[in-house]
Amino acid sequence: MSAMYDRLVDLLVDRFEVDRSEIGPDTRFEDLDMDSLFLVELLLVIQSEFKVDIAEDAATPGDTITAVAELIARESAPATTATTAERA
């Protein structure tokens, strides 16, 4: 698994009290009884914790943990590149 996946799992466990044993790469948020309102809150926490800009509707309850981790990774990469380019 990727480092971003591991960080997302840690966030779910630590901040949202999800049982780590219920989380796997193919686990969907709806499998964890998480609805779209929960995802809005989760995405706001992700923005703060990971310093990325993700739209509130970027994920759905049918998305897997892996899919959201990949979304965070994609959104993180351009921000890091832009910051590096701005310093040059």
Side-chain angles (χ1 to χ4, degrees):
M1 289 295 106
S2 72
M4 192 61 70
Y5 171 86
D6 293 337
R7 288 181 64 196
L8 178 56
V9 170
D10 288 343
L11 180 71
L12 289 167
V13 170
D14 297 339
R15 295 282 299 267
F16 294 96
E17 300 178 0
V18 176
D19 184 346
R20 190 176 297 272
S21 68
E22 294 181 13
I23 303 172
D26 297 326
T27 302
R28 297 173 299 172
F29 288 97
E30 63 191 9
D31 297 336
L32 301 171
D33 294 325
M34 298 176 181
D35 60 13
S36 55
L37 183 59
F38 170 85
L39 281 174
V40 169
E41 182 179 353
L42 174 63
L43 291 173
L44 290 172
V45 171
I46 287 170
Q47 287 182 39
S48 174
E49 294 284 322
F50 295 88
K51 307 295 186 239
V52 295
D53 187 27
I54 298 176
E56 292 179 4
D57 61 352
T60 68
D63 288 336
T64 64
I65 305 293
T66 299
V68 173
E70 290 170 353
L71 170 68
I72 298 166
R74 280 193 308 272
E75 294 301 320
S76 297
T80 303
T81 303
T83 304
T84 303
E86 290 170 4
R87 291 183 193 154

